[in-house]
Amino acid sequence: MTQQVLNDVARYRYKVFVETLGWDLVTEHGLELDQFDRDDTVHLAARDESGNVIGTARLLPTTRPYLLGEVFPQLLPGEPPPCDPRVWELSRFAAVDFTASQGSAMGQFSSPVAVALLKSAQAIARSNGAERIITVSPLGVERLLRREGFRAHRAGPPMVVGGHPIFACWIDVGSADADVQ
């Protein structure tokens, strides 16, 4: 990924997570990047016909520090965060088209872009030897997974963290042919 693409993704993430959703994240110069955006991170960026970022996701191996394991381990009650080359983390997932005339940040969980990003994340994780993805996400992602037939299930009960209901979820990197449990 070029530095320009990473900057485009970081600007987009700032607009989604800080400006729109109100997450309290450490940012600099309108860019949302953190300690998990490093050389082994895989960034996905969806763009519209004009080149605007309209979706993003981040994949990390769980064999090194990652968001769920370092920041939200309480979402895995009684279980240690995975540290396994067959498990990758999906984080900073968003599919908000700010150039569209309608829609909302919460509507991101029903868009074709969101589905395409998830399928791409599955394929990339699988190509890196992963069998499952672990994610920390807003509850809206669960509805998307169920509706679109992804094989997924909760890793623990939802919790409110920083005023936002979130949960940890396992997603199979195989085919999208089963319901969320």
Side-chain angles (χ1 to χ4, degrees):
M1 175 172 281
T2 68
Q3 189 60 46
Q4 181 59 51
V5 174
L6 184 58
N7 286 343
D8 291 348
V9 165
R11 267 191 295 284
Y12 176 81
R13 284 175 22 184
Y14 180 87
K15 191 167 186 172
V16 170
F17 297 113
V18 177
E19 290 182 348
T20 305
L21 297 176
W23 291 9
D24 184 20
L25 301 172
V26 177
T27 62
E28 197 171 305
H29 309 295
L31 302 175
E32 195 285 305
L33 293 170
D34 63 21
Q35 69 269 32
F36 307 111
D37 295 300
R38 50 183 197 246
D39 291 343
D40 63 335
T41 303
V42 177
H43 293 91
L44 288 78
R47 293 183 182 268
D48 65 13
E49 311 80 43
S50 300
N52 300 303
V53 175
I54 57 171
T56 188
R58 174 174 71 185
L59 285 167
L60 294 158
T62 61
T63 53
R64 293 192 53 205
Y66 60 100
L67 185 68
L68 178 64
E70 298 290 313
V71 180
F72 299 108
Q74 71 271 29
L75 294 174
L76 302 169
E79 296 292 325
C83 180
D84 186 325
R86 296 169 300 169
V87 177
W88 278 52
E89 180 193 53
L90 173 69
S91 58
R92 293 304 195 261
F93 175 76
V96 180
D97 184 350
F98 291 106
T99 64
S101 59
Q102 60 186 14
S104 69
M106 296 319 287
Q108 71 176 308
F109 304 126
S110 62
S111 78
V113 173
V115 174
L117 275 171
L118 277 171
K119 288 181 178 181
S120 292
Q122 284 180 308
I124 291 167
R126 186 173 43 252
S127 73
N128 281 282
E131 296 172 5
R132 296 192 298 169
I133 292 171
I134 188 82
T135 183
V136 54
S137 299
L139 285 176
V141 169
E142 187 173 41
R143 290 186 293 278
L144 168 70
L145 294 169
R146 182 178 296 119
R147 187 184 61 253
E148 297 297 330
F150 287 90
R151 295 183 63 150
H153 66 276
R154 289 181 178 181
M159 295 184 171
V160 176
V161 178
H164 305 281
I166 59 174
F167 78 116
C169 182
W170 289 105
I171 304 171
D172 180 20
V173 300
S175 63
D177 61 2
D179 289 339
V180 172
Q181 301 173 358

